[in-house]
Amino acid sequence: MKNSEIKFSIKLDDKNVPESILWEATDGPSDKPLPTDAIALSLWDHSQMNTMQINIWTKEMPVEEMKRFAIEGIGGMADSIENATGDIKMAEMIRDLCKKLVIHVKDNTSK
């Protein structure tokens, strides 16, 4: 059996705000740590029947990119739900929400 590992390294400023994030993975695209501006990680706790979320972004990440990151993360969940469960209706409902969020972001960016 093969083991795989994903590692995140986060450099914090004196107020514990992330300045930089590096990530690497056993099966990742590089043999060296790569920079990223954000992480969104969800962990399911079966015993508590709830989700723990870890959301981190660097202080230099623009707000508009944060919003896009959130929308794309939600959209990715639609694909996961459809592929893993076959629930096309739920996936489409999530995609419809993403479309509404894109319009919201565009409307508020132009102001």
Side-chain angles (χ1 to χ4, degrees):
M1 180 177 357
K2 179 180 175 182
N3 286 327
S4 186
E5 184 175 286
I6 301 171
K7 179 180 173 184
F8 298 100
S9 298
I10 302 154
K11 181 178 177 184
L12 305 172
D13 68 11
D14 59 345
K15 295 180 182 174
N16 289 329
V17 176
E19 287 188 337
S20 66
I21 303 169
L22 296 174
W23 74 279
E24 57 187 309
T26 306
D27 298 319
S30 175
D31 57 351
K32 298 177 185 176
L34 297 170
T36 188
D37 288 322
I39 303 167
L41 182 64
S42 297
L43 306 168
W44 178 251
D45 183 338
H46 179 73
S47 63
Q48 297 293 316
M49 297 299 286
N50 65 16
T51 302
M52 182 179 95
Q53 293 186 320
I54 302 169
N55 299 298
I56 303 170
W57 54 88
T58 63
K59 61 185 175 183
E60 299 300 322
M61 186 173 185
V63 170
E64 296 306 315
E65 288 183 22
M66 286 182 197
K67 292 178 182 181
R68 181 175 174 178
F69 178 65
I71 294 168
E72 289 184 12
I74 294 167
M77 289 302 298
D79 296 338
S80 294
I81 288 292
E82 185 173 346
N83 292 334
T85 70
D87 191 336
I88 295 170
K89 181 170 177 63
M90 184 175 179
E92 286 304 316
M93 292 172 74
I94 294 169
R95 290 183 186 108
D96 288 342
L97 171 62
C98 289
K99 290 173 188 172
K100 290 176 184 176
L101 291 170
V102 167
I103 292 168
H104 168 74
V105 169
K106 284 182 182 177
D107 287 349
N108 286 296
T109 301
S110 61
K111 291 181 181 180

